[in-house]
Amino acid sequence: KAGVTQTPRYLIKTRGQQVTLSCSPISGHRSVSWYQQTPGQGLQFLFEYFSETQRNKGNFPGRFSGRQFSNSRSEMNVSTLELGDSALYLCASGEQANEKLFFGSGTQLSVL
Amino acid sequence: AQSVAQPEDQVNVAEGNPLTVKCTYSVSGNPYLFWYVQYPNRGLQFLLKYITGDNLVKGSYGFEAEFNKSQTSFHLKKPSALVSDSALYFCAVRPWAMEYGNKLVFGAGTILRVKS
């Protein structure tokens, strides 16, 4: 099976712009989670989608949103980018709760 | 609220020596505990998990972890370290309630450096 695929690998944006990141989970996985990783805050949970429904949400402002399609692929969107949004955004897919998650290599977002 | 503490930013060990990476947690109810490893410019890779049962959990690449409920700890161990084990290690917890789905709370991470 192919692993979790995240595109693009790198992104450079300027403040005020918006960005969309994409994640293709492992075939058959219905759960897709998103995490933000920064040197200062570490790994922080953004949200989780399961069968096209948001199941959990972290403590991020409304500028961060996501969705999941019927084929389980997921996108996250960040509007009105701020410098502090610069981070590695990781997507993870899983089959069921409490099982291991499979992470993609991430999208490195730089906001200038 | 659930939380995870990894008290050491970095652990240094000589190749062939045993290693321990420490983790303590705070969660209401029974915890589900995980260890993940991250290599440079890569996503996280699953090492092992504790859900229930035997307190000593064996995982990938020769790693194991010991669950200690009274000390709320879940330390990662390996009897003999390899240089290739050098990486960033994360401990994570998920509360027992089903409503949490796959939401994990991660520790800050511990850099493991194994020197030859």
Side-chain angles (χ1 to χ4, degrees), chain B residues 23-42:
Chain B
C23 170
T24 59
Y25 65 90
S26 173
V27 65
S28 53
N30 295 322
Y32 294 154
L33 296 157
F34 302 81
W35 276 100
Y36 284 84
V37 60
Q38 186 177 33
Y39 297 98
N41 300 315
R42 301 290 298 276

Side-chain angles (χ1 to χ4, degrees), chain A residues 4-103:
Chain A
V4 178
T5 304
Q6 291 189 247
T7 55
R9 186 71 178 89
Y10 300 95
L11 265 178
I12 299 177
K13 294 286 186 179
T14 56
R15 280 181 299 173
Q17 288 186 310
Q18 75 165 19
V19 66
T20 299
L21 313 182
S22 179
C23 172
S24 294
I26 290 174
S27 178
H29 288 187
R30 292 186 292 168
S31 167
V32 175
S33 306
W34 289 89
Y35 289 83
Q36 181 195 65
Q37 185 176 20
T38 60
Q41 299 298 316
L43 278 160
Q44 292 187 289
F45 174 79
L46 281 156
F47 29 66
E48 179 198 5
Y49 287 87
F50 185 85
S51 295
E52 301 180 65
T53 300
Q54 188 179 84
R55 181 156 71 175
N56 281 290
K57 189 176 189 303
N59 295 323
F60 279 82
R63 299 185 297 106
F64 292 82
S65 63
R67 59 178 175 169
Q68 187 179 32
F69 302 96
S70 58
N71 62 357
S72 292
R73 190 177 70 85
S74 178
E75 291 181 345
M76 69 163 281
N77 184 277
V78 187
S79 62
T80 319
L81 284 166
E82 301 178 359
L83 295 178
D85 297 333
S86 295
L88 178 66
Y89 290 88
L90 293 166
C91 167
S93 77
E95 291 182 87
Q96 302 175 37
N98 301 329
E99 294 302 316
K100 62 183 178 181
L101 295 180
F102 295 82
F103 283 81

